[in-house]
Amino acid sequence: NAGVTQTPKFRILKIGQSMTLQCAQDMNHNYMYWYRQDPGMGLKLIYYSVGAGITDKGEVPNGYNVSRSTTEDFPLRLELAAPSQTSVYFCASSNQGQGKAFFGQGTRLTVV
Amino acid sequence: EDQVTQSPEALRLQEGESSSLNCSYTVSGLRGLFWYRQDPGKGPEFLFTLYSAGEEKEKERLKATLTKKESFLHITAPKPEDSATYLCAVRPGGGATNKLIFGTGTLLAVQP
């Protein structure tokens, strides 16, 4: 049982480049989330989805986009990368009605 | 505004020296308070969910308690393997998103 799988684990981007962070879960969870974690800051919600085809913005959505075409996958797209997007990104999932979220291992992104 | 504050930011204990971590919160309608453990380079790992004042949960050397304004994570006779960052999060009332608001965490170091 893999849980929540994120790829890649590490990535270095140049300013202005684009990339997609992949996230997949095999627990048949309805809800999926993307968070970013910066040193000394709590996890901040970027985008979330309550089911396939339904997404919405969290606290810090600017510079990101998401899609949810299947229950399992929830990719996060960075367009025109900026140094402010240097962070560790975590994908998570949970069952409807439960707050308990399961997290992936994270993607450490550096924009130079 | 929904807010979570954790204290202390960092705590160093000797093996066997019991202590408590604090999580104070301001939230509009609490639908759950969550404790997570995060090891370096890993995603948060779920520990406990508490739903109502007076509730307590235990797991090995950890015990979580909840009042109307705060939660405590009590660590009894800690071991070096308990060293990690402990995160507190709340699930505000309203909506069906299961969004979590995280504190900045307490970094616990247990020395042999």
Side-chain angles (χ1 to χ4, degrees), chain A residues 19-100:
Chain A
M19 76 164 293
T20 299
L21 281 65
Q22 301 292 343
C23 175
Q25 54 94 6
D26 61 1
M27 297 172 283
N28 202 32
H29 285 168
N30 306 82
Y31 292 68
M32 294 188 75
Y33 317 83
W34 275 105
Y35 288 89
R36 61 177 287 171
Q37 187 175 40
D38 300 302
M41 308 287 287
L43 287 148
K44 299 295 184 186
L45 184 64
I46 305 171
Y47 270 95
Y48 64 94
S49 169
V50 299
I54 307 170
T55 63
D56 206 348
K57 297 177 181 179
E59 300 173 77
V60 290
N62 291 344
Y64 307 95
N65 275 301
V66 294
S67 58
R68 183 100 181 267
S69 57
T70 66
T71 299
E72 295 78 19
D73 300 301
F74 191 40
L76 177 71
R77 178 80 177 164
L78 278 71
E79 305 282 2
L80 299 175
S84 60
Q85 292 178 307
T86 294
S87 188
V88 181
Y89 292 84
F90 288 100
C91 179
S93 71
S94 69
N95 261 331
Q96 183 175 1
Q98 291 186 15
K100 180 171 76 172

Coordinates of all heavy atoms in Angstrom, one line a residue, chain A residues 19-100:
Chain A
M19 N 7.0 23.7 -14.6 CA 7.1 22.3 -14.3 C 5.8 21.8 -13.6 O 5.0 22.6 -13.1 CB 8.3 21.9 -13.3 CG 8.1 22.3 -11.9 SD 9.3 21.5 -10.8 CE 8.8 19.8 -10.9
T20 N 5.7 20.5 -13.6 CA 4.5 19.9 -12.9 C 5.0 18.9 -11.8 O 5.9 18.1 -12.1 CB 3.7 19.1 -13.9 OG1 3.2 20.0 -14.9 CG2 2.5 18.5 -13.2
L21 N 4.5 19.1 -10.6 CA 4.7 18.2 -9.5 C 3.6 17.2 -9.5 O 2.4 17.5 -9.5 CB 4.7 19.0 -8.2 CG 6.0 19.8 -7.8 CD1 6.2 20.9 -8.7 CD2 5.8 20.3 -6.4
Q22 N 4.0 15.9 -9.5 CA 3.1 14.9 -9.6 C 2.7 14.4 -8.2 O 3.5 14.3 -7.3 CB 3.6 13.7 -10.4 CG 4.0 14.1 -11.8 CD 2.8 14.4 -12.7 OE1 1.6 14.1 -12.4 NE2 3.1 15.1 -13.8
C23 N 1.4 14.0 -8.1 CA 0.9 13.4 -6.8 C -0.1 12.3 -7.2 O -1.1 12.6 -7.9 CB 0.3 14.5 -5.9 SG -0.5 13.8 -4.5
A24 N 0.0 11.2 -6.6 CA -0.9 10.1 -6.8 C -1.2 9.4 -5.4 O -0.3 9.2 -4.6 CB -0.4 9.1 -7.8
Q25 N -2.5 9.0 -5.2 CA -2.8 8.3 -4.0 C -3.6 7.0 -4.4 O -4.4 7.1 -5.4 CB -3.6 9.2 -3.0 CG -4.8 9.9 -3.6 CD -6.1 9.1 -3.4 OE1 -6.2 8.1 -2.7 NE2 -7.2 9.7 -4.0
D26 N -3.4 6.0 -3.6 CA -4.1 4.7 -4.0 C -5.1 4.3 -2.8 O -5.3 3.1 -2.7 CB -3.0 3.6 -4.2 CG -2.2 3.4 -3.0 OD1 -2.4 4.0 -1.9 OD2 -1.3 2.5 -3.1
M27 N -5.6 5.3 -2.1 CA -6.5 5.0 -1.0 C -7.9 5.3 -1.3 O -8.8 5.3 -0.5 CB -6.0 5.8 0.3 CG -4.6 5.3 0.7 SD -4.0 6.4 2.0 CE -3.5 7.8 1.1
N28 N -8.2 5.7 -2.6 CA -9.5 6.0 -3.0 C -10.1 7.2 -2.2 O -11.3 7.3 -2.0 CB -10.5 4.8 -3.0 CG -11.7 5.0 -3.9 OD1 -11.6 5.6 -4.9 ND2 -12.8 4.4 -3.5
H29 N -9.2 8.2 -1.9 CA -9.7 9.3 -1.1 C -10.3 10.3 -2.0 O -9.8 10.6 -3.1 CB -8.5 9.9 -0.4 CG -8.1 9.2 0.8 ND1 -6.9 9.4 1.5 CD2 -8.7 8.2 1.5 CE1 -6.8 8.6 2.5 NE2 -7.9 7.8 2.6
N30 N -11.4 11.0 -1.6 CA -12.0 12.0 -2.4 C -11.2 13.3 -2.3 O -11.1 14.0 -3.3 CB -13.4 12.4 -1.8 CG -14.3 11.1 -1.7 OD1 -14.2 10.4 -0.7 ND2 -15.2 10.9 -2.6
Y31 N -10.7 13.6 -1.2 CA -10.1 14.9 -1.0 C -8.6 14.9 -1.2 O -7.9 14.0 -0.7 CB -10.4 15.5 0.4 CG -11.8 15.8 0.7 CD1 -12.8 14.8 0.7 CD2 -12.2 17.1 0.9 CE1 -14.1 15.1 1.0 CE2 -13.5 17.5 1.2 CZ -14.5 16.5 1.2 OH -15.8 16.8 1.4
M32 N -8.1 15.9 -1.9 CA -6.6 16.0 -2.1 C -6.2 17.4 -1.9 O -7.0 18.3 -2.2 CB -6.2 15.4 -3.4 CG -6.4 13.9 -3.5 SD -5.7 13.1 -5.0 CE -4.0 13.1 -4.6
Y33 N -5.0 17.6 -1.5 CA -4.5 18.9 -1.1 C -3.0 19.1 -1.6 O -2.3 18.2 -1.6 CB -4.5 19.2 0.4 CG -5.7 18.7 1.1 CD1 -5.9 17.3 1.4 CD2 -6.8 19.5 1.4 CE1 -7.0 16.9 2.1 CE2 -7.9 19.1 2.0 CZ -8.0 17.8 2.4 OH -9.2 17.3 3.0
W34 N -2.7 20.4 -1.8 CA -1.3 20.7 -2.0 C -0.9 21.8 -1.0 O -1.6 22.8 -0.9 CB -1.0 21.3 -3.4 CG -0.7 20.2 -4.4 CD1 -1.6 19.8 -5.4 CD2 0.5 19.5 -4.6 NE1 -0.9 18.8 -6.1 CE2 0.3 18.6 -5.6 CE3 1.7 19.5 -3.9 CZ2 1.3 17.7 -6.1 CZ3 2.7 18.6 -4.3 CH2 2.5 17.8 -5.4
Y35 N 0.1 21.5 -0.2 CA 0.7 22.5 0.7 C 2.1 22.8 0.4 O 2.8 22.0 -0.2 CB 0.7 21.9 2.2 CG -0.7 21.7 2.8 CD1 -1.4 20.5 2.6 CD2 -1.2 22.7 3.6 CE1 -2.6 20.3 3.3 CE2 -2.4 22.5 4.3 CZ -3.1 21.3 4.1 OH -4.3 21.1 4.7
R36 N 2.5 24.0 0.8 CA 3.9 24.3 0.8 C 4.4 24.6 2.2 O 3.6 25.1 3.0 CB 4.2 25.5 -0.1 CG 3.6 26.8 0.2 CD 4.0 27.9 -0.7 NE 5.4 28.4 -0.5 CZ 6.1 29.2 -1.3 NH1 5.5 29.7 -2.4 NH2 7.3 29.5 -1.0
Q37 N 5.7 24.3 2.5 CA 6.2 24.4 3.8 C 7.5 25.2 3.7 O 8.5 24.7 3.0 CB 6.5 23.1 4.5 CG 6.9 23.2 5.9 CD 7.0 21.8 6.6 OE1 7.5 20.9 6.0 NE2 6.6 21.7 7.8
D38 N 7.6 26.4 4.3 CA 8.8 27.2 4.3 C 9.3 27.2 5.7 O 8.6 27.1 6.7 CB 8.4 28.6 3.8 CG 7.8 28.6 2.4 OD1 8.6 28.2 1.5 OD2 6.7 29.1 2.2
P39 N 10.7 27.4 5.8 CA 11.3 27.4 7.2 C 10.6 28.4 8.1 O 10.4 29.5 7.8 CB 12.7 27.8 6.8 CG 13.0 27.4 5.4 CD 11.6 27.6 4.7
G40 N 10.3 27.9 9.3 CA 9.7 28.8 10.3 C 8.2 29.1 10.1 O 7.6 29.8 10.9
M41 N 7.7 28.5 9.0 CA 6.3 28.8 8.7 C 5.5 27.5 8.8 O 6.0 26.4 8.6 CB 6.1 29.4 7.3 CG 7.0 30.6 7.0 SD 6.5 32.1 7.9 CE 5.0 32.5 6.9
G42 N 4.2 27.6 9.1 CA 3.4 26.4 9.0 C 3.1 26.0 7.6 O 3.4 26.7 6.7
L43 N 2.6 24.8 7.4 CA 2.1 24.4 6.1 C 1.0 25.3 5.6 O 0.1 25.6 6.3 CB 1.6 23.0 6.2 CG 2.7 21.9 6.4 CD1 2.2 20.7 7.2 CD2 3.2 21.4 5.0
K44 N 1.2 25.8 4.4 CA 0.2 26.7 3.8 C -0.5 26.0 2.6 O 0.2 25.4 1.8 CB 0.8 28.0 3.3 CG 1.5 28.8 4.4 CD 0.6 29.3 5.4 CE 1.3 30.2 6.4 NZ 0.4 30.6 7.5
L45 N -1.8 26.1 2.6 CA -2.6 25.4 1.6 C -2.6 26.2 0.3 O -2.9 27.4 0.3 CB -4.0 25.2 2.1 CG -5.0 24.4 1.2 CD1 -4.5 23.0 1.0 CD2 -6.4 24.5 1.7
I46 N -2.2 25.5 -0.8 CA -2.1 26.1 -2.1 C -3.4 25.9 -2.9 O -4.1 26.9 -3.3 CB -1.0 25.5 -2.9 CG1 0.4 25.7 -2.2 CG2 -0.8 26.3 -4.3 CD1 1.5 24.9 -2.8
Y47 N -3.8 24.7 -3.1 CA -5.0 24.3 -3.8 C -5.5 23.0 -3.1 O -4.8 22.3 -2.5 CB -4.8 24.0 -5.3 CG -4.9 25.2 -6.2 CD1 -3.8 26.0 -6.5 CD2 -6.2 25.5 -6.7 CE1 -4.0 27.0 -7.4 CE2 -6.3 26.6 -7.6 CZ -5.2 27.4 -7.9 OH -5.4 28.4 -8.7
Y48 N -6.8 22.8 -3.3 CA -7.4 21.5 -2.9 C -8.5 21.1 -3.8 O -8.9 21.8 -4.7 CB -8.0 21.6 -1.4 CG -9.1 22.6 -1.3 CD1 -10.5 22.1 -1.4 CD2 -8.9 23.9 -1.1 CE1 -11.5 23.0 -1.3 CE2 -10.0 24.8 -1.0 CZ -11.3 24.3 -1.1 OH -12.3 25.2 -1.0
S49 N -8.8 19.8 -3.7 CA -9.9 19.2 -4.5 C -10.8 18.3 -3.7 O -10.2 17.5 -2.9 CB -9.2 18.4 -5.7 OG -10.2 17.6 -6.4
V50 N -12.1 18.4 -3.9 CA -13.0 17.5 -3.2 C -13.5 16.4 -4.0 O -14.3 15.6 -3.5 CB -14.2 18.3 -2.6 CG1 -13.7 19.4 -1.7 CG2 -15.0 18.9 -3.7
G51 N -13.0 16.2 -5.2 CA -13.3 15.1 -6.1 C -12.9 15.4 -7.5 O -12.5 16.5 -7.8
A52 N -12.9 14.4 -8.3 CA -12.5 14.5 -9.7 C -13.3 15.6 -10.4 O -14.5 15.7 -10.3 CB -12.7 13.2 -10.4
G53 N -12.6 16.5 -11.0 CA -13.2 17.6 -11.8 C -13.5 18.8 -10.9 O -13.9 19.9 -11.4
I54 N -13.2 18.8 -9.6 CA -13.5 19.9 -8.7 C -12.3 20.3 -8.0 O -11.7 19.6 -7.2 CB -14.6 19.5 -7.7 CG1 -15.8 18.9 -8.4 CG2 -15.0 20.7 -6.8 CD1 -16.8 18.3 -7.4
T55 N -11.9 21.6 -8.2 CA -10.7 22.1 -7.5 C -11.0 23.5 -7.0 O -11.9 24.2 -7.5 CB -9.5 22.2 -8.4 OG1 -9.7 23.1 -9.5 CG2 -9.1 20.8 -9.0
D56 N -10.3 24.0 -6.0 CA -10.5 25.3 -5.5 C -9.2 25.9 -4.9 O -8.3 25.1 -4.5 CB -11.6 25.4 -4.5 CG -12.3 26.7 -4.4 OD1 -11.7 27.7 -5.0 OD2 -13.4 26.9 -3.8
K57 N -9.1 27.2 -4.8 CA -7.9 27.8 -4.2 C -7.9 27.7 -2.7 O -8.9 27.7 -2.0 CB -7.9 29.3 -4.6 CG -7.9 29.5 -6.1 CD -7.9 31.0 -6.5 CE -7.9 31.3 -8.0 NZ -8.0 32.7 -8.3
G58 N -6.6 27.6 -2.2 CA -6.4 27.7 -0.8 C -5.9 29.1 -0.4 O -6.3 30.1 -1.0
E59 N -5.0 29.1 0.5 CA -4.5 30.4 1.0 C -3.5 31.1 0.1 O -3.4 32.3 0.0 CB -3.7 30.2 2.4 CG -4.5 29.6 3.5 CD -3.6 29.3 4.7 OE1 -3.2 30.2 5.4 OE2 -3.3 28.1 4.9
V60 N -2.6 30.3 -0.6 CA -1.5 30.9 -1.4 C -1.5 30.3 -2.8 O -0.6 29.7 -3.2 CB -0.2 30.7 -0.7 CG1 -0.1 31.5 0.6 CG2 0.0 29.2 -0.3
P61 N -2.6 30.6 -3.6 CA -2.7 29.9 -4.9 C -1.9 30.6 -6.1 O -1.7 30.0 -7.1 CB -4.2 30.0 -5.2 CG -4.6 31.3 -4.6 CD -3.7 31.4 -3.3
N62 N -1.5 31.9 -5.9 CA -0.9 32.6 -7.0 C 0.4 32.0 -7.5 O 1.3 31.6 -6.7 CB -0.6 34.1 -6.5 CG -1.8 34.9 -6.3 OD1 -2.9 34.5 -6.7 ND2 -1.7 35.9 -5.5
G63 N 0.4 31.8 -8.8 CA 1.6 31.2 -9.5 C 1.5 29.7 -9.7 O 2.4 29.1 -10.2
Y64 N 0.4 29.2 -9.3 CA 0.1 27.7 -9.4 C -1.2 27.4 -10.1 O -2.1 28.2 -10.1 CB 0.1 27.1 -8.0 CG 1.3 27.4 -7.1 CD1 1.2 28.4 -6.2 CD2 2.4 26.6 -7.2 CE1 2.3 28.7 -5.4 CE2 3.5 26.9 -6.3 CZ 3.4 28.0 -5.4 OH 4.5 28.3 -4.6
N65 N -1.2 26.2 -10.6 CA -2.5 25.7 -11.2 C -2.6 24.2 -10.9 O -1.6 23.5 -10.7 CB -2.6 25.9 -12.7 CG -3.1 27.3 -13.0 OD1 -4.2 27.7 -12.6 ND2 -2.3 28.1 -13.7
V66 N -3.8 23.7 -10.8 CA -4.0 22.3 -10.6 C -5.1 21.8 -11.5 O -5.9 22.5 -12.1 CB -4.5 22.0 -9.1 CG1 -3.3 22.3 -8.1 CG2 -5.7 22.7 -8.7
S67 N -5.2 20.4 -11.6 CA -6.3 19.8 -12.3 C -6.5 18.5 -11.5 O -5.7 17.9 -10.8 CB -5.9 19.5 -13.7 OG -4.7 18.7 -13.8
R68 N -7.7 17.9 -11.7 CA -8.0 16.6 -11.0 C -9.0 15.9 -12.0 O -10.2 15.9 -11.9 CB -8.8 16.9 -9.7 CG -9.1 15.6 -9.0 CD -8.1 15.3 -7.9 NE -8.4 14.1 -7.1 CZ -9.1 14.0 -6.0 NH1 -9.7 15.1 -5.5 NH2 -9.3 12.9 -5.4
S69 N -8.3 15.2 -12.9 CA -9.1 14.4 -13.9 C -9.5 13.0 -13.4 O -10.4 12.4 -13.9 CB -8.3 14.3 -15.2 OG -7.1 13.7 -15.0
T70 N -8.8 12.5 -12.4 CA -9.1 11.2 -11.8 C -9.1 11.3 -10.3 O -8.5 12.3 -9.8 CB -8.1 10.1 -12.2 OG1 -6.8 10.4 -11.6 CG2 -7.9 10.1 -13.8
T71 N -9.6 10.3 -9.6 CA -9.6 10.3 -8.2 C -8.2 10.2 -7.7 O -7.8 10.8 -6.6 CB -10.5 9.1 -7.6 OG1 -11.8 9.3 -8.1 CG2 -10.4 9.1 -6.1
E72 N -7.3 9.5 -8.4 CA -6.0 9.1 -7.9 C -5.0 10.3 -8.0 O -4.1 10.4 -7.2 CB -5.5 7.9 -8.7 CG -6.2 6.6 -8.4 CD -7.5 6.6 -9.2 OE1 -7.7 7.3 -10.2 OE2 -8.4 5.7 -8.8
D73 N -5.1 11.1 -9.1 CA -4.0 12.0 -9.4 C -4.4 13.5 -9.2 O -5.5 13.9 -9.5 CB -3.6 11.8 -10.9 CG -3.1 10.4 -11.1 OD1 -2.1 10.0 -10.5 OD2 -3.7 9.7 -11.9
F74 N -3.4 14.2 -8.7 CA -3.7 15.7 -8.4 C -2.4 16.4 -8.7 O -1.6 16.8 -7.8 CB -4.1 15.8 -7.0 CG -4.7 17.2 -6.7 CD1 -5.4 17.9 -7.5 CD2 -4.4 17.8 -5.4 CE1 -6.0 19.2 -7.2 CE2 -4.8 19.0 -5.1 CZ -5.6 19.7 -6.0
P75 N -2.0 16.7 -10.0 CA -0.8 17.4 -10.3 C -0.9 18.9 -10.0 O -1.9 19.5 -10.1 CB -0.6 17.1 -11.8 CG -2.0 16.9 -12.3 CD -2.8 16.2 -11.2
L76 N 0.3 19.4 -9.6 CA 0.4 20.9 -9.4 C 1.3 21.5 -10.4 O 2.5 21.0 -10.6 CB 1.0 21.1 -8.0 CG 1.3 22.6 -7.6 CD1 -0.1 23.3 -7.3 CD2 2.1 22.6 -6.3
R77 N 0.9 22.5 -11.1 CA 1.6 23.1 -12.2 C 2.2 24.4 -11.7 O 1.4 25.3 -11.2 CB 0.7 23.3 -13.4 CG 1.3 24.0 -14.6 CD 2.1 23.0 -15.4 NE 2.7 23.6 -16.6 CZ 3.7 23.1 -17.3 NH1 4.2 22.0 -17.0 NH2 4.1 23.8 -18.4
L78 N 3.5 24.6 -11.9 CA 4.1 25.9 -11.7 C 4.4 26.6 -13.1 O 5.1 26.0 -13.9 CB 5.4 25.8 -10.9 CG 5.3 25.7 -9.4 CD1 4.8 24.3 -9.0 CD2 6.7 25.9 -8.8
E79 N 3.8 27.7 -13.3 CA 4.1 28.4 -14.5 C 5.0 29.6 -14.2 O 4.8 30.3 -13.2 CB 2.8 29.0 -15.1 CG 1.7 28.0 -15.4 CD 1.9 27.2 -16.6 OE1 3.0 27.4 -17.3 OE2 1.1 26.3 -16.9
L80 N 6.1 29.8 -15.0 CA 6.9 31.0 -14.8 C 7.5 31.0 -13.4 O 7.2 31.9 -12.6 CB 6.2 32.3 -15.1 CG 5.7 32.4 -16.6 CD1 4.9 33.7 -16.7 CD2 6.9 32.4 -17.6
A81 N 8.3 30.0 -13.1 CA 8.8 29.9 -11.7 C 9.6 31.1 -11.3 O 10.3 31.8 -12.0 CB 9.8 28.7 -11.7
A82 N 9.4 31.4 -10.0 CA 10.0 32.6 -9.3 C 10.7 32.1 -8.1 O 10.3 31.1 -7.5 CB 8.9 33.6 -9.0
P83 N 11.8 32.9 -7.6 CA 12.5 32.5 -6.4 C 11.6 32.3 -5.2 O 11.9 31.5 -4.3 CB 13.5 33.6 -6.2 CG 13.7 34.1 -7.6 CD 12.4 34.0 -8.3
S84 N 10.5 33.0 -5.2 CA 9.6 32.9 -4.0 C 8.9 31.6 -4.0 O 8.2 31.3 -3.0 CB 8.5 34.0 -4.1 OG 7.7 33.9 -5.3
Q85 N 9.0 30.8 -5.0 CA 8.4 29.5 -5.0 C 9.3 28.4 -4.6 O 9.0 27.2 -4.6 CB 7.8 29.2 -6.4 CG 6.6 30.0 -6.8 CD 6.1 29.8 -8.2 OE1 6.9 29.8 -9.2 NE2 4.8 29.5 -8.3
T86 N 10.5 28.8 -4.2 CA 11.5 27.9 -3.5 C 10.8 27.4 -2.2 O 10.6 28.2 -1.4 CB 12.8 28.5 -3.3 OG1 13.4 28.8 -4.6 CG2 13.7 27.6 -2.5
S87 N 10.6 26.1 -2.1 CA 9.9 25.6 -0.9 C 9.9 24.1 -1.0 O 10.4 23.5 -1.9 CB 8.5 26.1 -0.9 OG 7.8 25.8 0.3
V88 N 9.3 23.5 0.1 CA 9.0 22.1 0.0 C 7.5 21.9 -0.1 O 6.7 22.5 0.6 CB 9.5 21.4 1.3 CG1 9.2 19.9 1.2 CG2 11.0 21.6 1.6
Y89 N 7.1 21.1 -1.1 CA 5.7 21.0 -1.5 C 5.3 19.6 -1.0 O 5.9 18.6 -1.3 CB 5.5 21.1 -3.0 CG 5.8 22.5 -3.4 CD1 7.1 23.0 -3.7 CD2 4.7 23.4 -3.6 CE1 7.3 24.3 -4.1 CE2 5.0 24.7 -4.0 CZ 6.3 25.1 -4.2 OH 6.5 26.4 -4.6
F90 N 4.1 19.6 -0.3 CA 3.5 18.3 0.1 C 2.1 18.2 -0.4 O 1.3 19.1 -0.4 CB 3.4 18.3 1.7 CG 4.7 18.2 2.4 CD1 5.4 19.3 2.9 CD2 5.4 16.9 2.5 CE1 6.6 19.1 3.5 CE2 6.6 16.8 3.1 CZ 7.2 17.9 3.6
C91 N 1.9 17.0 -0.9 CA 0.6 16.6 -1.4 C 0.0 15.7 -0.3 O 0.7 15.0 0.4 CB 0.7 15.8 -2.7 SG -0.9 15.2 -3.3
A92 N -1.3 15.8 -0.1 CA -2.0 15.0 1.0 C -3.4 14.6 0.5 O -3.9 15.2 -0.5 CB -2.1 15.9 2.3
S93 N -3.9 13.6 1.1 CA -5.3 13.2 0.8 C -6.0 12.8 2.0 O -5.4 12.4 3.1 CB -5.3 12.0 -0.2 OG -4.8 10.8 0.4
S94 N -7.4 12.8 2.0 CA -8.2 12.4 3.1 C -9.5 11.9 2.6 O -9.9 12.2 1.5 CB -8.4 13.5 4.1 OG -9.2 14.5 3.6
N95 N -10.2 11.2 3.4 CA -11.6 10.7 3.1 C -12.5 11.8 3.4 O -12.3 12.6 4.3 CB -11.9 9.5 4.0 CG -11.8 8.2 3.3 OD1 -11.9 8.1 2.1 ND2 -11.5 7.2 4.1
Q96 N -13.6 11.8 2.7 CA -14.7 12.8 3.0 C -15.2 12.6 4.4 O -15.4 11.4 4.8 CB -15.8 12.6 2.0 CG -17.0 13.6 2.1 CD -18.0 13.5 1.0 OE1 -17.9 12.6 0.2 NE2 -19.0 14.3 1.1
G97 N -15.4 13.6 5.1 CA -15.9 13.5 6.5 C -14.8 13.3 7.5 O -15.1 13.4 8.7
Q98 N -13.6 13.0 7.1 CA -12.5 12.8 8.0 C -11.5 13.9 7.8 O -11.1 14.2 6.7 CB -11.8 11.5 7.9 CG -12.7 10.3 8.3 CD -11.9 9.0 8.2 OE1 -10.7 9.0 8.1 NE2 -12.6 7.9 8.2
G99 N -11.0 14.5 8.9 CA -9.9 15.5 8.7 C -8.6 14.9 8.6 O -7.6 15.6 8.1
K100 N -8.4 13.7 9.0 CA -7.1 13.0 9.1 C -6.6 13.0 7.7 O -7.1 12.3 6.8 CB -7.2 11.7 9.7 CG -5.9 10.9 9.8 CD -6.0 9.7 10.6 CE -6.6 8.6 9.8 NZ -6.6 7.3 10.6

